[in-house]
Amino acid sequence: NLPRKYTANALARELLEIVPSTQFDFVYLPWDSAAPTNLGYAFVNFIDVAAAERVRQAMDGQSWRLVQSLKVIRVLPAYIQGLKANMVHCAAHIEIGSASRHRPLIFRNGECMD
């Protein structure tokens, strides 16, 4: 239930309020190719189950902090697990030449890799 104007960077900022960047390595919001908005959901890969559970407990059922929205946060486990599997899935769905803001954020040792 992401606000449609949210970006991966905005979601990462929300996550950083709960866990350090060393606890996740992938943040991706699929974008609508016909409109300048995300599709309303995201993929986040956490380093371990404990980090995912901390985020779920802190965010699930809450309101978004960075924008005013009536949408309530829902945190659910994904059927795709692991950095490599997320990258493969994402690569199959991103249009070549898409804007950098539409690409996933990849983190290594807490640093966002551009």
Side-chain angles (χ1 to χ4, degrees):
N1 273 348
L2 279 168
R4 293 295 177 120
K5 298 294 183 181
Y6 245 49
T7 63
N9 284 318
L11 179 55
R13 284 196 305 270
E14 293 266 6
L15 295 171
L16 289 170
E17 295 290 323
I18 302 161
V19 294
S21 59
T22 55
Q23 297 299 297
F24 55 91
D25 56 11
F26 182 88
V27 178
Y28 173 58
L29 283 65
W31 284 79
D32 186 334
S33 60
T37 63
N38 69 59
L39 294 178
Y41 60 92
F43 297 92
V44 177
N45 189 66
F46 294 96
I47 300 299
D48 58 40
V49 174
E53 182 59 19
R54 276 194 305 280
V55 169
R56 188 196 64 75
Q57 288 179 1
M59 293 182 79
D60 195 52
Q62 302 299 311
S63 299
W64 293 99
R65 296 181 196 140
L66 299 179
V67 297
Q68 287 187 333
S69 174
L70 296 177
K71 292 186 175 189
V72 174
I73 299 169
R74 293 290 301 145
V75 179
L76 303 167
Y79 65 93
I80 299 168
Q81 298 289 322
L83 176 60
K84 183 177 179 181
N86 273 289
M87 290 174 68
V88 168
H89 176 78
C90 180
H93 294 88
I94 291 181
E95 293 180 19
I96 294 174
S98 64
S100 62
R101 72 172 189 226
H102 298 174
R103 296 184 195 131
L105 300 178
I106 308 293
F107 293 81
R108 182 176 295 149
N109 299 321
E111 296 292 320
C112 186
M113 311 303 292
D114 274 336

